[in-house]
Amino acid sequence: MTQNATKFELGPVVILGGSGGIGAATAQAFAAHGATVGIVYNSDEAGAEAVRSSLPGSGHRTFGASVEDSASLVQLVADARAAFGEVATLVNSAGFTKAIAHGDLDALDDAFIDRMFAVNWRGQFAAVRSFRKTLEASGKGLVVNVSSIAGTNGIGSNIAYCAVKAGIDTMTKSLARALAPAIRVMSVSPGVVATDFVPGRDAAAVAKIAATVPLKRIATPEDVADAILACATHLRYSTGSIVTVDGGRAL
């Protein structure tokens, strides 16, 4: 671990959605490689503090912010810079969804669609917009957006979710061009992950999905976190790329 930390010289990382399954695993991965981690929560302060206290190393912090509120993201940047100095990596893993049958168009009402895009797309863009200057100033700026294979195969918890994730992948490519060379922008695209992200998905549903995956299991949060970390360590000549972490499910 010490060799890796020295080799990669990871700067401070801020993780939106840091108390969730993928966010928490990502915090562990970066901290284990020597990074100082900022865990951002919306409402689960206790969960964020539990993640922070479990991390190796020192100097980690928790911050409250809402991706729906751009003013709170601006304040988040100020708080993070006060705590860490310039932020090197921003991980966009905040979001929400719920299962709605694709054929049930009436259930996908306007209010739900609007909130899906406000939280899962506009919020990610607003975070990049807010963190741009500090990422540039760090000299090693990196944004990693957490997407989904739903953005390419159209199969996901609901149609709006699929559209949002397609938008995240397009945003990743657009921002990679716009912010180069100072900031690299990557997208990590999981298949089904063993978290409680999709309400109502029980063990039987997970087992059924796992049977259809070529690697015969669904992803763990650590599988996704390893890919996010790799964007900062091993994939340093990549930008605008979509890294698929799905066990071959999209094949």
Side-chain angles (χ1 to χ4, degrees):
M1 288 295 182
T2 303
Q3 276 189 328
N4 284 338
T6 302
K7 178 181 177 181
F8 298 125
E9 297 181 349
L10 298 175
V13 55
V14 170
I15 304 172
L16 291 168
S19 61
I22 291 173
T26 301
Q28 290 285 345
F30 273 84
H33 281 73
T36 305
V37 179
I39 300 155
V40 183
Y41 64 91
N42 181 14
S43 57
D44 187 11
E45 181 177 4
E49 283 293 336
V51 173
R52 183 199 61 76
S53 66
S54 73
L55 299 179
S58 61
H60 311 301
R61 293 281 303 274
T62 60
F63 304 98
S66 170
V67 296
E68 295 177 83
D69 179 3
S70 292
S72 80
L73 293 174
V74 171
Q75 184 60 52
L76 169 63
V77 174
D79 293 342
R81 293 177 89 173
F84 302 141
E86 305 299 354
V87 175
T89 300
L90 171 68
V91 178
N92 270 323
S93 64
F96 86 102
T97 193
K98 73 175 181 178
I100 298 175
H102 284 208
D104 191 355
L105 304 189
D106 291 332
L108 202 65
D109 60 50
D110 292 351
F112 178 79
I113 293 170
D114 289 347
R115 185 154 190 266
M116 283 291 291
F117 276 86
V119 174
N120 297 314
W121 191 92
R122 192 191 74 198
Q124 324 309 310
F125 176 82
V128 177
R129 183 176 61 201
S130 299
F131 275 86
R132 178 180 185 174
K133 289 183 179 179
T134 186
L135 292 170
E136 288 176 339
S138 76
K140 57 180 79 172
L142 170 66
V143 175
V144 184
N145 298 314
V146 177
S147 183
S148 168
I149 61 170
T152 54
N153 66 15
I155 302 171
S157 52
N158 60 72
I159 290 175
Y161 180 79
C162 297
V164 162
K165 293 306 184 179
I168 287 289
D169 290 341
T170 300
M171 179 180 73
T172 294
K173 292 179 181 295
S174 296
L175 287 175
R177 285 193 299 269
L179 302 182
I183 301 172
R184 295 187 301 114
V185 186
M186 300 286 284
S187 181
V188 169
S189 184
V192 177
V193 184
T195 69
D196 58 0
F197 180 65
V198 181
R201 180 182 283 161
D202 59 16
V206 168
K208 185 176 180 180
I209 293 168
T212 69
V213 176
L215 295 188
K216 299 304 178 187
R217 68 176 179 87
I218 65 170
T220 66
E222 289 74 21
D223 290 324
V224 184
D226 286 346
I228 295 170
L229 177 65
C231 292
T233 55
H234 293 84
L235 302 180
R236 287 170 289 174
Y237 192 60
S238 296
T239 192
S241 301
I242 300 169
V243 180
T244 303
V245 187
D246 71 344
R249 189 172 187 229
L251 295 174

